[in-house]
Amino acid sequence: MIVSSLSHWPQEREYAHPVLRKAIDFLHDTDFSLLDEGKYPIWDQDMYALISKIRTKPASMQSAEKHECFLDIHFVIEGEEMIGWQLQNDQTIPFESHPDKDYSLYTELGEESMIRLAPGMYTVLFPEDIHRPGLTEAEPSDVRKVVIKINRNLF
């Protein structure tokens, strides 16, 4: 997992893999005020951005998820979001799995850490990263965000 801010991207860019560069360059160079919610291809079907509006909720009301084929980059445009995170281990067993749709769902995570994302911040989540997006610490709030999906075969 990587957590950073686009304000640091010009300094961090040289250390990133070319595939991650392409994705984060898209975040850095795009004026999201001009784009509606929806799906935007970046690299055919192997890398695309999903722009959405969500309402945050308590962790008890949100399942955690994991993907095998696609990495996720979660980027906050407006609002603030907490994302639960834990590396997969032998004790984490999904309660539901859909390999054809590239996700598994989890409820309780024994070692979950919370990450706060404010506008301009992003997190890169790899296939071993179980994550619970769309969370709040207090009252539910509206968030506008981008999730970039990256096919692991690009690496």
Side-chain angles (χ1 to χ4, degrees), residues 1-144:
M1 180 205 29
I2 299 169
V3 178
S4 192
S5 172
L6 286 185
S7 63
H8 294 261
W9 182 238
Q11 297 85 6
E12 295 172 353
R13 188 178 188 281
E14 70 179 285
Y15 304 109
H17 186 280
V19 172
L20 289 179
R21 265 192 222 141
K22 186 168 184 70
I24 300 171
D25 282 346
F26 174 84
L27 295 173
H28 185 266
D29 299 339
T30 301
D31 182 351
F32 290 104
S33 69
L34 302 175
L35 298 179
D36 292 325
E37 283 63 47
K39 183 177 178 179
Y40 295 87
I42 300 170
W43 193 336
D44 299 319
Q45 290 302 309
D46 287 324
M47 183 187 300
Y48 55 90
L50 299 168
I51 302 174
S52 63
K53 289 181 183 176
I54 66 165
R55 183 115 175 119
T56 60
K57 56 182 108 173
S60 62
M61 297 177 64
Q62 176 72 16
S63 297
E65 60 190 53
K66 184 173 138 5
H67 314 286
E68 296 296 330
C69 298
F70 281 80
L71 287 72
D72 278 2
I73 300 177
H74 289 248
F75 172 71
V76 174
I77 302 168
E78 298 169 4
E80 190 172 279
E81 171 185 27
M82 299 292 292
I83 294 181
W85 169 83
Q86 178 179 310
L87 279 174
Q88 183 178 11
N89 59 42
D90 293 340
Q91 286 76 43
T92 53
I93 312 257
F95 73 86
E96 191 175 314
S97 189
H98 299 274
D100 55 319
K101 296 180 182 175
D102 191 38
Y103 75 90
S104 295
L105 298 176
Y106 300 78
T107 52
E108 296 297 320
L109 299 177
E111 300 172 18
E112 187 173 19
S113 298
M114 291 295 160
I115 301 154
R116 180 187 315 277
L117 296 181
M121 293 182 70
Y122 63 89
T123 183
V124 180
L125 298 156
F126 298 96
E128 68 272 10
D129 294 322
I130 300 172
H131 52 286
R132 190 185 313 262
L135 305 181
T136 184
E137 282 186 314
E139 294 298 314
S141 62
D142 294 323
V143 174
R144 187 163 188 251

